[in-house]
Amino acid sequence: MSTETEWLEFKRAGQTFSFDQMAQYVSALANEANLHRREEGWLVMGIDDRLDPTTGMRPAIGTEFARALPELNRIRESVAAQTAPPVVLHPPHELEVDRPDGAPARVLLWRIPAAPRGVPVSCKGHYWGRNGEKLCGLPLHKLDTLRAQSALHDWSAAVVTQDWALLSAPAIARARELYARRYASKPDIVKEMLGQTDAQFLHSLRLAVHGGLTRAALVLLGLPTAASQLGGPTPRISWQLLDHRNEPVTHQHFGLPLLSSIDALIARIRIIEINILPPREVAPLNLPNYDDWVLREALHNCVAHQDYTQGGRILVTEGPDTLRFFNYGEFLPGSLDKVLHAQQPEQRYRNACLADAMVELDLMETLNRGVKGMFRKQKERFFPLPDYDIAAQPASVSVMLYGRVLDKGYVDALMTNSDLSLEDAVLLDQIQKGRKPPAGELRRLRAKGLVEGRSPRLRISAQLAVAMGQEVAYLNQKGPSVEDCKKAVCDLLAMAPQPRVEIDALLMDKLMLWIPGASERKKYIKELLADMARQGSIRNIGKPTRGAVWALVAPMRSRV
């Protein structure tokens, strides 16, 4: 044994081996095995890392690692927990070979299954690879190659049946209606479609190939009985309604054809009017809590980009003021920030055949424009922007829509600054949700006069508040100054010395809007009194205990 490769690694592992490092090697060998078109990689333990200069081989030295069954189980559990998608290792092959001195040596051969097509294997959120014999982060070009495999192997494009009786006539009629809407400005195209048979129409959408129906055709237009032709779990959308305690109220499942199920599910979502009062106006705007286009774009993206091979269902969860859309499958662009700042649409699709047909039916934009459109539409409606949760284990995407106003200051900022960029709106949206933007971006918002205050108490700036007619609200939010508090304490002590409990009673309510937490307000008062004592304006009578009394030393001098 002499040569290591990207998919073959030798380790001494004499007595033990790091579980964390092993998970990193599993990630690297799985990814490299995929890229080298192998079914597996190998991690071999009990072999010297260095070559014997006389033989040019790596000698066997033996290993005591994973000898006991409990240890073996812990290793497998650790690797599965740290990798995504989880890699469940089989027990290693155990060999007995001769050491150079003739003594027996125990060698372990761990088989590492290759990463699934289109799904690189990560370890604790990081992708690992190999540079020759060295462990390293998976280079970007290799990561892109792995991810692109999902587009090259299109599950939805496979032809699975020639039984056209499996299609739903109402669903096909709905598809024709949507197609005519998309091309309403081109009557010649609509006229041609109306003259086509169903078979010709589906072939033009590439949902049918040489008389055979693709999985995409059955997902969109198939009868419930067509599910058996898909070669796996039945595609399904589930809707559930939760109350204010997050307890289930009711639910409903929607199966094939998904084109009809989309309309049926949208009809279940409660649409009510929300009143939003513009700055310096007396008449409110009446807006629906959810925009129909945004709802459909979110749901259509779930249908188009769901990884149907994982067997999970698309889930729509409706709460009192939120809607959450969930689907399985890696977010191919990698990050939301990349989508919002990209200059061109994403070129890869998990289900290209299905996605292309949905675009032709006016169901969705390309991934890039559709997500941006959702953000712009919510910004134009003055509602909170969507929240994206992109998980690695299992690979999934969750989108949260808000059906109410969270912070009137955010609404007023959007109304007052009609030219506010989407990028700035995203940052202000993070602030209204209690999240701290990156330091550089926060400095830029401060420079524009949009926010002020220190994290985590960022607030609408005075400049913006005056422009919006929110001066009183701003002063209430900003809270009393330190000097105001000191003056109030001195006015109280001028009447008579007071215990701490009386000073708390004086200031706690004044500070409530500014500092919500009671313990934080008490800490603030304690530091205020200590500062006044250092200045010599007040003093503590008696022992410094909780029952001590504070007294005025001399009237406070006004600061110029």
Side-chain angles (χ1 to χ4, degrees):
M1 299 179 182
S2 60
T3 305
E4 288 185 334
T5 67
E6 281 83 357
W7 48 268
L8 173 63
E9 170 70 14
F10 297 110
K11 283 296 174 187
R12 292 176 60 91
Q15 296 298 322
T16 187
F17 193 74
S18 165
F19 288 11
D20 291 347
Q21 191 176 16
M22 185 167 181
Q24 293 172 4
Y25 274 106
V26 167
S27 168
L29 293 170
N31 292 330
E32 294 292 351
N34 174 300
L35 293 169
H36 285 78
R37 300 183 180 179
R38 299 184 61 88
E39 294 184 359
E40 71 280 309
W42 292 94
L43 178 59
V44 183
M45 294 182 173
I47 302 295
D48 201 328
D49 295 318
R50 295 168 295 181
L51 294 175
D52 186 323
T54 59
T55 64
M57 303 289 286
R58 285 182 170 84
I61 60 172
T63 177
E64 295 300 310
F65 184 61
R67 185 177 283 280
L69 182 59
E71 183 184 17
L72 175 60
N73 290 335
R74 288 197 303 273
I75 295 166
R76 298 174 66 197
E77 291 171 0
S78 174
V79 169
Q82 295 186 62
T83 52
V87 177
V88 180
L89 296 176
H90 291 290
H93 299 288
E94 187 170 332
L95 304 178
E96 186 175 293
V97 299
D98 291 335
R99 291 171 35 175
D101 59 5
R106 175 176 175 261
V107 174
L108 300 181
L109 282 72
W110 296 89
R111 179 186 179 276
I112 314 298
R117 290 185 61 83
V119 186
V121 174
S122 66
C123 173
K124 292 185 176 179
H126 297 282
Y127 297 103
W128 294 87
R130 303 262 289 166
N131 183 6
E133 300 181 1
K134 301 296 184 181
L135 182 70
C136 65
L138 189 65
L140 186 59
H141 71 279
K142 289 186 176 182
L143 183 59
D144 286 342
T145 299
L146 274 168
R147 284 174 167 165
Q149 292 171 352
S150 60
L152 297 175
H153 181 70
D154 185 358
W155 176 88
S156 69
V159 175
V160 292
T161 184
Q162 293 188 339
D163 186 358
W164 287 70
L166 292 173
L167 297 181
S168 164
I172 295 176
R174 174 61 172 160
R176 287 181 180 272
E177 177 187 336
L178 294 172
Y179 186 89
R181 184 181 70 183
R182 171 175 170 78
Y183 290 103
S185 62
K186 299 178 180 180
D188 292 344
I189 295 179
V190 176
K191 182 179 179 180
E192 180 183 359
M193 180 271 294
L194 293 175
Q196 292 175 336
T197 65
D198 288 348
Q200 290 171 333
F201 178 51
L202 265 64
H203 277 83
S204 71
L205 296 176
R206 295 184 292 279
L207 292 174
V209 180
H210 302 307
L213 295 173
T214 63
R215 286 195 179 106
L218 300 185
V219 168
L220 282 179
L221 310 172
L223 293 168
T225 53
S228 61
Q229 302 295 319
L230 295 175
T234 302
R236 178 184 292 181
I237 307 174
S238 294
W239 167 83
Q240 62 177 349
L241 178 65
L242 305 180
D243 62 17
H244 65 283
R245 297 184 300 272
N246 236 22
E247 295 292 335
V249 176
T250 186
H251 70 277
Q252 186 173 347
H253 302 300
F254 301 86
L256 300 183
L258 293 193
L259 185 63
S260 301
S261 292
I262 289 169
D263 291 333
L265 188 149
I266 293 293
R268 292 302 307 263
I269 295 173
R270 298 169 301 175
I271 303 298
I272 61 174
E273 284 193 345
I274 301 295
N275 297 328
I276 298 179
L277 185 65
R280 300 186 184 277
E281 297 290 338
V282 294
L285 292 175
N286 297 320
L287 298 173
N289 55 340
Y290 300 112
D291 178 81
D292 184 74
W293 184 90
V294 174
L295 290 181
R296 292 180 181 275
E297 183 66 21
L299 185 54
H300 295 162
N301 278 337
C302 289
V303 172
H305 303 295
Q306 166 84 343
D307 185 352
Y308 294 99
T309 64
Q310 291 198 35
R313 67 186 63 173
I314 297 167
L315 181 61
V316 179
T317 303
E318 181 178 358
D321 300 302
T322 59
L323 270 174
R324 178 176 176 263
F325 297 82
F326 173 89
N327 72 276
Y328 283 100
E330 183 184 9
F331 191 65
L332 292 179
S335 70
L336 180 63
D337 187 67
K338 182 178 178 181
V339 173
L340 295 178
H341 294 90
Q343 298 301 313
Q344 63 180 6
E346 175 64 36
Q347 299 298 315
R348 296 170 295 154
Y349 298 90
R350 176 167 295 105
N351 303 303
C353 179
L354 177 61
D356 289 344
M358 292 179 69
V359 169
E360 284 295 293
L361 297 179
D362 202 29
L363 292 177
M364 58 179 291
E365 300 280 353
T366 57
L367 175 64
N368 201 3
R369 291 176 57 191
V371 173
K372 274 188 176 179
M374 292 169 59
F375 275 73
R376 290 195 182 101
K377 180 69 74 171
Q378 290 296 90
K379 171 179 174 289
E380 292 166 359
R381 299 175 66 244
F382 316 116
F383 275 74
L385 303 183
D387 279 343
Y388 270 71
D389 183 8
I390 302 169
Q393 185 178 346
S396 59
V397 180
S398 176
V399 182
M400 180 78 79
L401 298 181
Y402 294 83
R404 67 179 176 90
V405 171
L406 298 180
D407 183 348
K408 190 175 185 301
Y410 172 76
V411 175
D412 292 341
L414 296 184
M415 288 184 170
T416 306
N417 295 264
S418 58
D419 59 345
L420 192 71
S421 69
L422 180 60
E423 182 180 7
D424 287 345
V426 170
L427 296 174
L428 290 178
D429 183 67
Q430 292 180 15
I431 292 173
Q432 77 163 336
K433 293 171 182 173
R435 303 165 192 160
K436 181 181 178 181
E441 304 294 347
L442 187 55
R443 285 194 295 270
R444 186 165 57 79
L445 291 180
R446 291 186 193 278
K448 291 183 177 182
L450 294 173
V451 297
E452 67 177 13
R454 292 176 176 268
S455 296
R457 299 191 189 99
L458 296 172
R459 56 183 178 266
I460 300 172
S461 71
Q463 172 185 338
L464 188 57
V466 172
M468 296 184 301
Q470 298 290 312
E471 296 92 338
V472 174
Y474 165 74
L475 290 175
N476 285 337
Q477 187 181 40
K478 184 177 180 181
S481 68
V482 173
E483 294 303 319
D484 288 340
C485 292
K486 289 181 178 179
K487 184 177 184 304
V489 171
C490 288
D491 289 344
L492 177 66
L493 299 185
M495 292 184 280
Q498 301 288 343
R500 169 66 188 272
V501 65
E502 293 297 329
I503 298 174
D504 284 350
L506 172 71
L507 295 180
M508 287 290 280
D509 289 343
K510 294 180 182 293
L511 297 172
M512 185 177 295
L513 290 176
W514 187 34
I515 307 175
S519 60
E520 292 183 354
R521 295 201 298 275
K522 289 184 177 181
K523 181 180 179 182
Y524 177 86
I525 295 172
K526 178 181 178 181
E527 294 174 351
L528 180 80
L529 296 177
D531 185 44
M532 294 178 70
R534 285 192 297 269
Q535 291 179 348
S537 56
I538 64 174
R539 64 189 178 93
N540 198 294
I541 300 175
K543 297 181 180 180
T545 64
R546 295 180 61 182
V549 175
W550 290 93
L552 191 65
V553 173
M556 287 188 64
R557 297 179 180 178
S558 301
R559 293 187 178 182
V560 181

